[in-house]
Amino acid sequence: MKHKEQNSSAASIMDAAAIRRALRRIAHEIIERNRHLANIVLAGIPSRGVEIARRIAAFIRGIEKAEVETGVIDVAMHRDDVGTRAELPVVRASKLPVPLEDRTVIIVDDVFYTGRTVRAAMDAINSFGRPARIQLAVLIDRGHRELPIRPDYVGKNLPTATHEQIQVRLQETDNEPDAVWLERE
Amino acid sequence: MTTRWTRKDLLGLRELSADEINFVLETADAFKQVGTREIKKVPALRGKTLVNFFVEPSTRTRTSFELAAFRLSADVINISATTSSLTKGETLKDTARNLEALHTDILVLRHSSAGAPQFLANRVRASVINAGDGAHEHPTQALLDLYTIRERRGKIAGLHVAIIGDVLFSRVARSNIFGLLKLGARVTLVGPSTLVPREFEKLGVEVSHKIEDVLPKADVVNLLRIQHERQRREYFPGLGEYIRLFGLTKERAKLLKPDCVIMHPGPINRGVEIDSDVADGLQSVILDQVTNGLAVRMAVLYLCGGIAT
Amino acid sequence: MRALIIRGGRVIDPANKRDEVGDLYIADGKIAEKSAIRNQKSEIEEIDARNLIVAPGLIDVHVHLREPGFSHKETIESGARAAAAGGFTTVVCMPNTSPTADNPSTIAWIKDRAAAAACVNVLPTGAISKNLAGEELAPIGSLAQAGVVAVTDDGQCVQNHEVMRRAVEYARMVGVPVLDHCQDYNLVGNGVVHEGYWSTLLGLPGWPAMGEEAMVMRNILLAELCDHHIHCQHVTTAGSVRLIREARARGVKISGEVCPHHIALTDEAIQNFDTNYKMNPPLRSPTDVDALLEGIADGTLSVLCSDHAPHADFEKEVEFDAAPFGIIGLETELGLFLDLLVHKHRKIDIARLIAMYTIEPAQLLRVDAGTLSVGARADVTLIDPELEWTVRVDQFQSASRNSPFDGWKIKGRAVRTIVGGETVWKL
């Protein structure tokens, strides 16, 4: 874990086992809260949200022997800060099953912070159609909301200061072992 | 994909790297998907003002840019040569400065003079997108051609692309040559010696004056519009002779490989550079080009218009 | 009586085959014997010319002073100041003014204006054809009487060979040489840059080398037919050099001049569409540049000049196709030629360079200038061939700024310009 070695002020928050437990718990909560699993779409926000959605779907399959659809919801073109950044976020194609009517779309992301990304994701979903409901699942909720949005499923609540940074690594997206840690600048 | 987009202007493909071209094509993938949604509009350029400044007539390119801008939620003004004050003697520079004083963010310029977009880009803060300048470049057309080839054939490197027709006066041809060569394609130019001079070989392409030799080997055939509305009498004797020597007739189309893709930037002269049945045939991707043009132009407007200036 | 002694310089006077370190004496505005100065009683001014070259006042046979008609680009007064700052004591101005210098009264106006305002000698040329239209002959005899040193349609080119033939015959009768801007309109069409790799790449209309060469060939045939001198202006192509070389070897009365931009730059410079690289004839290929250098080295091309063509910023700052042709050159040409021909490429020595700016043009135009003979008008240029300097267009005397050489570092320049014994400019 070269990051921790390089940065002495980094504090480990979750290791691979803790991440696995958190996502399995979220899978259980989704099963409990949603009567018809066939109506669910787990829509990940690229790139780690997509991987987290895939893992939650795998847990649901393992627990309930039921297939849950996954999708990709890219928010770059729905952001409200275009033109203020020197470097643009890379846009990727969104992929959602249509029609969305009567379906529950669960937005999945790694870190939940100001809420602006999720707002953009909801806008993006609405451009595909009108789902019956939208829910939100996140691995880490670090607080500091700027919009009235709250998550339905949380892997870990982690009160932070604004100058701190949450670092998430997943094997499939980062080619590094699963880990979450906190960095102070 | 590690490339970063840092350009405020898109002036031509000659200045882009292969990575940058691929970056635009991959961004266009995302925007093509938007066209399949129930609401085909995203807020990416909300609050931005785009001016379609067309000093040379064009309907399809202007419409494509206009629709691309609408789908990105930008506000659009169209100015054409007839309504612009250029006809009253105002210089291009002054016109552009006036547009800038109105807080234009993106200037899409079509102009009969090569280099006009570069001239403006050096003098205004707004993003300048070249929508075709003289016989120089037409970068968004070439990008949509590349996108369409990649979509149909899965790749561009290693393909043999024939560009047929009035190459000398064609900005579409030049941008295609630059883009195709950067992405590793082999390019053969076909046409009368007067419209496809040998000088082009120095650009790294092959030149042929015998269409029958090239058609059986081509993976892609890109037909250029023959501009018979302009004065070209000194370049070829007439349309009849052009069709006889270089037209993609039904008989000649039989020489093509079954998976060869037929492209045309439009508008088509049916029965001149391409037979009507061939234009509508299974190998033709002419309408895909139009659809992809929208996605590519959304990507270009998003990338150039989106970065902080 | 006033006297001036220029001491200790290397005096190069090609007309008299003089090249030695020594003093130059000037009295009453004329080159004088040492003895004439020794008897002087009144004030004697001395100039220390050690490490400098003392040359006959340089002549530029090809400038556009833009008056009458285009004084927003240049005036006879400002153009003359630019000439002085470039080391020139005599300039030959082209007739494409408004009104066109195709009539004696316009020539008289130019001469009056020059006498009143110009700090150097201004020699006008007259048009070959009325309004430079190439159709009817201008009154070449009256123009000669009014004092033109040559006739030319510069900027235009008489396309009709019959009209040109009669013009050359007529000019021979009245004793003025014919200067020709060699350009076949049909071949050149709407060309704005050299037809070649860069025009193909950039999609700019090409100006083929043959468009010049066809007219150079025409002029060679006419010079032979009419037994009269035709001078090809701003020669740019390898083919033109070859044609002129062969014709001169046969004794044909043909000559050619070179501008500095045509050897300092190639057509590659146009790739950013900067209109300060747009001129007519255009910047050519490296092969053509090499041929021009050889033509200068072997004497085929015998005259150096600027084709000083001022344009206002607002005129040049437009689309490439729409921009007027031409760049200013009076204040950079000597430095560029010294730097390129003498220092960098070593094609000619400095004495030959001075000859190409003095005795060669003086003989071409049959004018009394370009020597340091005793009794000649004291037009003198002091040159520091080793002085390194940086071109700054914002410091130019010219009223225009359209030069592609801004910021260039150049070795060699004029440091003092003396016209009729008076210093009109010094560094």
Side-chain angles (χ1 to χ4, degrees):
Chain A
M1 302 294 277
K2 57 186 175 172
H3 316 279
K4 290 177 187 174
E5 285 159 12
Q6 279 166 358
N7 193 332
S8 59
S9 64
S12 176
I13 305 297
M14 297 174 100
D15 58 11
I19 291 171
R20 193 165 54 244
R21 280 194 296 274
L23 296 184
R24 189 190 298 125
R25 177 170 49 73
I26 289 175
H28 275 290
E29 289 173 11
I30 288 172
I31 293 163
E32 285 169 21
R33 295 256 302 266
N34 294 281
R35 190 163 300 180
H36 300 292
L37 289 178
N39 283 348
I40 288 178
V41 182
L42 290 168
I45 296 174
S47 47
R48 294 193 195 91
V50 176
E51 169 58 17
I52 293 170
R54 189 194 64 78
R55 291 187 187 186
I56 293 171
F59 278 122
I60 293 173
R61 191 185 309 120
I63 298 162
E64 287 288 306
K65 308 285 182 263
E67 285 299 324
V68 176
E69 260 192 280
T70 58
V72 177
I73 190 74
D74 188 73
V75 297
M77 63 182 82
H78 290 269
R79 296 187 68 102
D80 57 8
D81 58 355
V82 166
T84 63
R85 302 165 145 234
E87 192 183 346
L88 280 173
V90 173
V91 297
R92 293 183 175 82
S94 294
K95 194 164 120 299
L96 286 177
V98 283
L100 284 177
E101 278 67 14
D102 305 326
R103 305 201 71 160
T104 298
V105 178
I106 303 178
I107 299 169
V108 183
D109 203 1
D110 54 351
V111 178
F112 188 38
Y113 187 25
T114 62
R116 291 181 188 272
T117 300
V118 173
R119 184 208 55 77
M122 289 193 283
D123 285 350
I125 289 164
N126 285 329
S127 74
F128 281 81
R130 187 176 177 279
R133 63 187 67 78
I134 298 177
Q135 298 176 348
L136 173 62
V138 296
L139 179 61
I140 304 284
D141 180 356
R142 63 167 296 188
H144 303 288
R145 215 76 68 234
E146 293 169 1
L147 295 171
I149 298 172
R150 62 166 184 79
D152 301 274
Y153 314 98
V154 179
K156 188 173 181 64
N157 278 299
L158 186 69
T160 56
T162 49
H163 62 268
E164 292 169 328
Q165 281 200 333
I166 302 284
Q167 297 289 345
V168 179
R169 295 293 182 275
L170 298 176
Q171 186 66 48
E172 288 80 355
T173 53
D174 304 290
N175 208 21
E176 288 175 33
D178 287 5
V180 179
W181 72 93
L182 186 68
E183 271 180 12
R184 295 180 181 86
E185 297 196 344
Chain B
M1 191 164 55
T2 52
T3 308
R4 294 168 54 185
W5 186 265
T6 54
R7 296 177 185 274
K8 88 172 171 79
D9 309 306
L10 178 67
L11 305 177
L13 291 202
R14 188 164 77 90
E15 65 185 9
L16 297 189
S17 67
D19 282 346
E20 285 176 305
I21 292 171
N22 281 320
F23 188 81
V24 176
L25 299 184
E26 285 168 41
T27 304
D29 279 332
F31 285 108
K32 185 166 186 186
Q33 190 280 322
V34 173
T36 67
R37 298 183 192 178
E38 193 170 298
I39 298 170
K40 298 168 180 55
K41 184 163 179 149
V42 295
L45 295 184
R46 191 170 56 193
K48 301 253 181 194
T49 303
L50 178 144
V51 173
N52 260 329
F53 186 25
F54 277 59
V55 185
E56 192 183 65
S58 156
T59 306
R60 68 177 50 213
T61 303
R62 200 209 64 210
T63 308
S64 182
F65 269 109
E66 191 171 358
L67 193 51
F70 284 151
R71 291 197 172 173
L72 293 167
S73 306
D75 297 311
V76 179
I77 303 167
N78 288 307
I79 299 175
S80 62
T82 45
T83 57
S84 91
S85 34
L86 284 182
T87 49
K88 295 176 195 158
E90 189 179 55
T91 65
L92 179 61
K93 182 184 163 192
D94 283 335
T95 304
R97 284 187 162 176
N98 275 281
L99 293 173
E100 186 155 68
L102 297 169
H103 307 297
T104 299
D105 299 294
I106 305 169
L107 202 48
V108 177
L109 179 67
R110 160 69 62 92
H111 200 291
S112 57
S113 182
Q118 179 157 357
F119 173 85
L120 278 194
N122 295 341
R123 286 166 179 78
V124 299
R125 285 187 312 278
S127 292
V128 176
I129 311 294
N130 182 0
D133 60 330
H136 180 219
E137 288 231 39
H138 192 351
T140 57
Q141 176 68 43
L143 286 166
L144 76 88
D145 289 344
L146 294 169
Y147 187 94
T148 306
I149 295 170
R150 197 189 64 153
E151 185 178 66
R152 275 297 177 115
R153 303 298 305 255
K155 60 170 186 176
I156 287 167
L159 294 182
H160 189 173
V161 180
I163 300 175
I164 301 172
D166 181 357
V167 174
L168 183 61
F169 293 94
S170 174
R171 52 192 168 220
V172 175
R174 281 181 182 76
S175 288
N176 261 285
I177 290 167
F178 300 139
L180 287 165
L181 293 180
K182 280 172 200 275
L183 298 189
R186 177 182 166 195
V187 179
T188 300
L189 308 178
V190 183
S193 52
T194 45
L195 293 174
V196 189
R198 296 285 297 273
E199 195 73 24
F200 275 97
E201 289 176 352
K202 293 182 188 163
L203 271 53
V205 300
E206 293 156 58
V207 167
S208 170
H209 306 305
K210 205 156 186 303
I211 190 169
E212 289 85 356
D213 290 351
V214 178
L215 293 179
K217 295 183 277 189
D219 299 304
V220 177
V221 166
N222 199 345
L223 298 157
L224 302 173
R225 183 180 165 79
I226 288 295
Q227 314 248 359
H228 59 89
E229 62 268 57
R230 287 196 206 161
Q231 288 304 312
R232 290 280 191 273
R233 276 174 300 180
E234 62 270 47
Y235 289 94
F236 63 95
L239 287 180
E241 177 149 324
Y242 182 86
I243 296 166
R244 196 164 300 125
L245 268 61
F246 297 102
L248 186 59
T249 57
K250 261 186 279 191
E251 287 67 36
R252 286 205 180 102
K254 289 174 190 159
L255 297 170
L256 293 169
K257 292 195 254 184
D259 58 351
C260 180
V261 174
I262 298 170
M263 308 176 75
H264 192 298
I268 307 173
N269 296 313
R270 285 180 186 269
V272 181
E273 63 265 3
I274 185 166
D275 185 275
S276 190
D277 289 348
V278 179
D280 299 331
L282 290 174
Q283 288 174 289
S284 165
V285 294
I286 294 170
L287 293 176
D288 295 308
Q289 288 175 272
V290 178
T291 307
N292 292 338
L294 191 56
V296 162
R297 292 189 173 105
M298 285 174 80
V300 167
L301 294 179
Y302 171 79
L303 292 173
C304 292
I307 62 166
T309 49
Chain C
M1 177 164 162
R2 296 186 54 204
L4 173 64
I5 306 175
I6 301 170
R7 287 203 188 277
R10 179 183 166 195
V11 180
I12 300 179
D13 181 13
N16 291 304
K17 298 189 166 52
R18 181 179 176 193
D19 186 349
E20 63 189 358
V21 173
D23 302 336
L24 187 73
Y25 303 95
I26 295 169
D28 285 338
K30 290 184 163 30
I31 306 296
E33 298 277 11
K34 187 176 181 181
S35 56
I37 305 289
R38 200 177 295 144
N39 300 332
Q40 262 290 44
K41 292 284 188 285
S42 56
E43 59 168 314
I44 300 176
E45 184 192 352
E46 294 205 13
I47 295 169
D48 179 359
R50 280 173 299 174
N51 301 318
L52 298 179
I53 284 164
V54 180
L58 307 183
I59 303 165
D60 186 337
V61 299
H62 193 151
V63 305
H64 297 267
L65 296 181
R66 301 300 190 205
E67 268 193 312
F70 306 104
S71 56
H72 64 286
K73 299 172 193 265
E74 193 82 279
T75 61
I76 289 172
E77 188 270 333
S78 66
R81 269 192 288 116
F88 293 86
T89 59
T90 299
V91 293
V92 177
C93 62
M94 295 297 117
N96 58 342
T97 50
S98 180
T100 306
D102 60 0
N103 61 87
S105 59
T106 302
I107 300 300
W109 187 93
I110 292 169
K111 293 183 79 166
D112 285 352
R113 192 77 204 117
C119 63
V120 302
N121 309 303
V122 173
L123 306 179
T125 57
I128 293 171
S129 66
K130 283 181 187 163
N131 276 321
L132 312 179
E135 290 161 4
E136 294 173 71
L137 290 189
I140 293 173
S142 308
L143 290 167
Q145 286 175 354
V148 302
V149 294
V151 288
T152 174
D153 271 5
D154 182 51
Q156 307 293 320
C157 177
V158 177
Q159 300 295 295
N160 183 320
H161 304 328
E162 166 65 6
V163 172
M164 190 65 171
R165 175 193 171 177
R166 300 308 171 196
V168 175
E169 284 174 347
Y170 205 88
R172 181 179 193 271
M173 174 186 78
V174 298
V176 292
V178 176
L179 319 180
D180 193 28
H181 168 128
C182 305
Q183 174 177 353
D184 182 300
Y185 290 175
N186 283 314
L187 286 169
V188 171
N190 58 352
V192 291
V193 300
H194 174 59
E195 181 183 296
Y197 175 80
W198 288 101
S199 70
T200 304
L201 187 80
L202 299 172
L204 284 167
W207 197 128
M210 192 198 159
E212 173 176 304
E213 292 152 4
M215 284 302 180
V216 168
M217 189 68 237
R218 184 270 308 260
N219 290 341
I220 289 167
L221 295 172
L222 283 181
E224 266 183 305
L225 177 69
C226 307
D227 186 31
H228 186 52
H229 197 107
I230 303 179
H231 174 74
C232 298
Q233 297 178 290
H234 39 49
V235 170
T236 62
T237 80
S240 297
V241 175
R242 181 175 51 77
L243 289 167
I244 294 170
R245 180 182 292 127
E246 289 166 2
R248 282 168 74 95
R250 279 189 289 120
V252 179
K253 293 175 180 171
I254 192 90
S255 58
E257 66 185 31
V258 187
C259 304
H261 43 276
H262 289 128
I263 63 164
L265 299 165
T266 65
D267 57 345
E268 184 178 2
I270 62 177
Q271 61 178 303
N272 291 320
F273 300 99
D274 184 338
T275 57
N276 278 335
Y277 297 99
K278 180 179 174 182
M279 56 283 281
N280 184 2
L283 299 175
R284 299 286 184 192
S285 72
T287 311
D288 293 307
V289 170
D290 290 345
L292 291 177
L293 291 172
E294 288 313 309
I296 290 167
D298 71 10
T300 299
L301 302 172
S302 52
V303 174
L304 303 175
C305 67
S306 63
D307 192 6
H308 180 79
H311 292 292
D313 288 347
F314 73 86
E315 295 169 314
K316 271 293 205 182
E317 222 181 329
V318 295
E319 301 90 314
F320 199 89
D321 283 343
F325 291 101
I327 60 168
I328 54 173
L330 277 166
E331 291 167 82
T332 47
E333 60 178 306
L334 175 62
L336 286 164
F337 277 132
L338 278 168
D339 193 281
L340 294 166
L341 296 177
V342 178
H343 294 308
K344 191 173 165 205
H345 299 303
R346 299 175 185 276
K347 292 294 176 187
I348 52 174
D349 62 17
I350 197 158
R352 175 62 188 158
L353 183 144
I354 289 168
M356 293 176 78
Y357 263 134
T358 54
I359 190 63
E360 291 279 8
Q363 286 175 350
L364 167 69
L365 302 174
R366 306 170 191 182
V367 294
D368 186 15
T371 85
L372 296 176
S373 304
V374 169
R377 192 178 56 231
D379 293 348
V380 183
T381 303
L382 301 192
I383 299 165
D384 183 345
E386 304 297 324
L387 182 66
E388 295 186 25
W389 60 292
T390 302
V391 177
R392 294 279 304 278
V393 294
D394 57 357
Q395 294 172 356
F396 277 1
Q397 299 295 315
S398 169
S400 285
R401 296 286 176 265
N402 53 314
S403 168
F405 299 113
D406 192 29
W408 278 45
K409 289 182 170 44
I410 290 176
K411 190 173 174 185
R413 71 178 293 174
V415 294
R416 186 189 283 258
T417 307
I418 297 167
V419 174
E422 301 293 328
T423 295
V424 294
W425 180 85
K426 74 185 175 76
L427 189 64

